[in-house]
């Protein structure tokens, strides 16, 4: 083979020597001024774009919530190695010899705004409603049985109602990035009477957006140099005081989530119109905060008030306070998916759980009734019945037409209560204590096992 290629290599070397010499002769004939103009024309636009981008980022940093610190990871995600083969296999329960390796809490997540991008933590506080800061807000759209206009009678207009939305209808919610800023007395700017402190912190939401014109182009180029994309952001108070509610003009309105209708605080006046266009929504868009005085009670498979000593409640979670998935179960589901073009890798983030664990065999969690994580106990109330939301890629907001939903229905229709065509993956839990704590690396210990059957709404 080398002998066959040798003549062609010699020909290429000869051509290179000839043409490179001609190019150098031509380069020497170009005036210096032309060189300078060419270099400036190539270099100045990206430099201007980068400066513009950095100035905008500096402005946003200057507007960070005062007296608060940002929650979240300061290092790479604990899921950065989630596709490692070692997580595909179960291991024995922890013992003195293996406790550093197996049956551990691998990753912790909160989703302050339902269906938007989550915030990964290394440690978290658990309250009666679940993880602190989890699903305290939800977007909603104003819907009616028929279109209305200025001449529509008031009774027909009153038929409009707010209904929560998720990635099921609007998959691009996955690209709405969420930051949680909480009051912290150790921050230099902290003072007890600052607005951001009095409101219990601030939520900052960002979504992809490029403004029109030359400014938008500069922002796009500058972001490209940094490996990002232009975004538009807005902020909302986490838990505004009555005085702040009056000053801002927020209203309390009825909104529906599943079969529950609740009175919740509507902060729609803070939403930029561009977000509705980005999501592809034609209806009016609202942003609701749960009313802590009217939390949604959890019954069905949850332990009773008599058992726990308190009534299980949630914010805007689908059903139960805490959601757990086993990484081995996700890897096994992925193994059974058809190997077709475009089939997604199954990141654990697609299932939007609060707790992602490693160690147990695939689906072993189906048998758990009570477990201990770290120092605190949790009631494992029922399996998680799955809709098509895991079909949405949590990085791109793109929805696969069939997977993993089709495989879930085929191989995980295992709960009689969920129905014959509903796949299940993950477990719904209720904290035994009103307040507890979790941290990545906590050991999982099974205290009680038994059968499960979902009780529907």
């Amino acid at each position: 083979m080398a002998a066959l290629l040798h003549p062609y290599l010699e020909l290429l070397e000869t051509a290179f020597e000839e043409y490179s010499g001609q190019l150098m002769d031509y380069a020497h004939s170009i005036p210096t001024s032309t060189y300078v103009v060419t270099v400036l024309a190539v270099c100045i636009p990206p430099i201007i774009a980068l400066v513009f981008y950095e100035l905008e980022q500096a402005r946003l940093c200057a507007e960070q919530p005062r007296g608060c610190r940002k929650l979240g990871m300061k290092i790479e995600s604990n899921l950065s190695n989630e596709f490692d083969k070692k997580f595909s296999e179960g291991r024995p329960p922890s013992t003195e010899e293996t406790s550093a390796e197996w049956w551990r809490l691998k990753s912790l997540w909160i989703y302050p705004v339902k269906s938007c991008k989550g915030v990964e933590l290394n440690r978290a506080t658990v309250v009666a409603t679940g993880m602190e800061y989890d699903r305290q807000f939800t977007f909603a759209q104003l819907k009616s049985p028929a279109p209305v206009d200025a001449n529509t009678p008031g009774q027909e207009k009153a038929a409009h109602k707010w209904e929560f939305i998720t990635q099921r209808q609007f998959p691009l919610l996955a690209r709405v990035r969420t930051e949680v800023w909480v009051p912290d007395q150790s921050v230099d700017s902290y003072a007890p009477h600052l607005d951001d402190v009095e409101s219990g912190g601030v939520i900052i939401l960002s979504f992809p957006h490029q403004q029109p014109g030359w400014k938008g182009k500069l922002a796009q180029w500058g972001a490209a140099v940094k490996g990002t994309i232009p975004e538009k952001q807005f902020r909302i108070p986490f838990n505004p005081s009555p005085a702040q509610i009056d000053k801002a003009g927020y209203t309390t309105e009825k909104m529906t989530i599943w079969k529950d209708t609740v009175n919740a605080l509507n902060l729609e006046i803070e939403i930029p119109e561009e977000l509705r266009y980005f999501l592809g929504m034609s209806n009016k868009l609202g942003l609701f905060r749960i009313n802590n005085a009217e939390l949604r009670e959890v019954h069905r498979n949850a332990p009773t008030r008599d058992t726990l000593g308190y009534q299980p409640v949630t914010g805007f979670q689908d059903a139960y306070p805490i959601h757990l998935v086993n990484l081995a179960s996700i890897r096994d589901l992925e193994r059974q998916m058809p190997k077709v073009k475009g089939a997604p890798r199954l990141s654990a983030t697609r299932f939007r759980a609060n707790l992602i664990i490693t160690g147990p065999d695939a689906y072993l969690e189906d048998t758990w009734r009570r477990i201990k994580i770290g120092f605190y106990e949790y009631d494992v109330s029922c399996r998680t019945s799955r809709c098509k939301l895991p079909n949405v890629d949590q990085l791109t907001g793109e929805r696969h037409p069939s997977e993993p939903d089709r495989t879930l229905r085929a191989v995980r229709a295992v709960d009689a209560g969920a129905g014959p065509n509903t796949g299940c993956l993950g477990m719904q839990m209720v904290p035994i204590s009103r307040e507890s704590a979790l941290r990545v690396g906590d050991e999982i210990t099974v205290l009680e096992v038994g059968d499960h059957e979902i009780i529907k709404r």
Side-chain angles (χ1 to χ4, degrees), residues 92 160 211 241 247 294 314 347 362 454:
H160 278 66
Q211 59 181 310
S241 66
K247 182 179 179 181
E294 298 183 28
T314 63
S347 170
I454 292 172

Side-chain angles (χ1 to χ4, degrees), residues 71-333:
L71 290 183
M73 303 279 289
K74 295 183 179 179
I75 56 176
E76 68 177 355
S77 169
N78 289 314
L79 289 177
S80 60
N81 65 342
E82 65 169 314
F83 294 108
D84 193 307
K85 289 184 178 179
K86 69 182 179 182
F87 298 124
S88 301
E89 302 172 357
R91 302 291 178 178
S94 298
T95 66
E96 290 184 3
E97 291 76 25
T98 64
S99 61
E101 296 288 336
W102 316 121
W103 290 59
R104 296 282 168 174
L105 179 56
K106 180 170 178 58
S107 187
L108 271 170
W109 291 80
I110 56 172
Y111 304 87
V113 182
K114 188 177 184 66
S115 253
C116 295
K117 196 172 290 294
V119 177
E120 188 177 9
L121 306 174
N122 260 328
R123 61 182 62 215
T125 299
V126 179
V127 294
T129 57
M131 304 270 282
E132 190 175 20
Y133 305 110
D134 186 47
R135 293 172 172 95
Q136 296 294 289
F137 295 85
T138 184
F139 283 107
Q141 61 178 331
L142 190 62
K143 297 185 70 175
S144 68
V148 298
D149 56 29
N151 298 318
T152 302
Q155 188 174 0
E156 291 184 32
K157 287 183 179 180
H160 278 66
K161 63 178 182 178
W162 289 103
E163 291 184 2
F164 84 115
I165 63 170
T166 71
Q167 292 177 30
R168 299 169 185 86
Q169 311 105 306
F170 300 98
L172 286 176
L173 280 168
R175 299 189 66 187
V176 178
R177 191 164 54 84
T178 309
E179 295 178 9
V180 184
W181 293 77
V182 299
D184 188 338
Q185 295 184 28
S186 67
V187 175
D188 290 341
S189 61
Y190 179 85
H193 300 301
L194 291 172
D195 282 347
D196 295 337
V197 173
E198 288 189 344
S199 65
V202 173
I203 303 291
I204 297 179
L205 296 121
S206 308
F207 59 96
H209 173 72
Q210 181 179 326
Q211 59 181 310
W214 64 270
K215 286 187 177 181
K217 280 295 182 186
L218 284 178
Q220 182 186 28
W221 294 340
V225 171
K226 302 286 284 188
T228 61
I229 57 172
E231 291 183 323
K232 187 177 184 67
Q233 69 173 219
F234 65 102
R235 52 193 280 171
I236 54 175
F238 178 72
N239 189 15
S241 66
Q244 290 173 328
I245 291 172
D246 290 341
K247 182 179 179 181
Y250 304 144
T251 57
T252 297
E253 301 182 53
K254 291 186 181 298
M255 63 86 60
T256 300
I257 173 169
W258 299 116
K259 293 185 177 181
D260 295 335
T261 298
V262 298
N263 291 307
L265 190 66
N266 189 354
L267 295 81
E268 65 173 301
I269 58 176
E270 306 292 358
I271 305 174
E273 189 69 4
E274 292 87 349
L275 178 57
R276 189 166 63 88
Y277 300 142
F278 170 72
L279 296 176
M281 180 182 294
S282 57
N283 291 329
K284 193 174 183 180
L285 180 63
L287 178 55
F288 286 81
R289 193 201 190 284
I290 193 71
N291 183 346
N292 288 324
E294 298 183 28
L295 295 170
R296 300 163 58 221
E297 293 189 354
V298 181
H299 297 283
R300 297 188 288 157
N301 293 93
T304 64
R305 182 195 299 268
D306 291 341
T307 302
L308 279 183
Y310 75 92
Q311 175 62 49
V313 289
T314 63
F316 286 129
Q317 290 90 336
D318 277 346
Y320 293 82
I322 298 175
H323 181 203
L324 174 147
V325 294
N326 177 8
L327 196 50
S329 302
I330 296 172
R331 295 283 76 82
D332 185 76
L333 179 70

Side-chain angles (χ1 to χ4, degrees), residues 115 166-168 171 174 318 323 325 330 333 337 343-353 384-395 397-409 423-426:
S115 253
T166 71
Q167 292 177 30
R168 299 169 185 86
D318 277 346
H323 181 203
V325 294
I330 296 172
L333 179 70
M337 284 169 50
R345 287 305 309 266
L346 277 194
S347 170
T349 58
R350 284 178 177 259
F351 298 90
R352 299 182 63 82
T384 304
S385 59
R386 290 294 173 184
C387 62
K388 294 185 178 182
L389 194 149
N391 287 19
V392 178
D393 187 314
Q394 296 300 299
L395 292 177
E398 297 174 354
R399 179 165 47 205
H400 192 271
S402 60
E403 294 297 345
D405 177 64
R406 181 177 294 171
T407 302
L408 271 167
R409 292 173 184 269
C424 295
L425 188 76

Side-chain angles (χ1 to χ4, degrees), residues 355-374:
L355 314 182
I356 300 167
I357 65 168
T358 59
D361 285 324
Y363 316 119
L364 186 61
E365 65 275 16
D366 280 8
T367 65
W368 298 349
R369 294 307 304 260
R370 192 180 181 101
I371 63 174
K372 184 167 76 170
I373 306 178

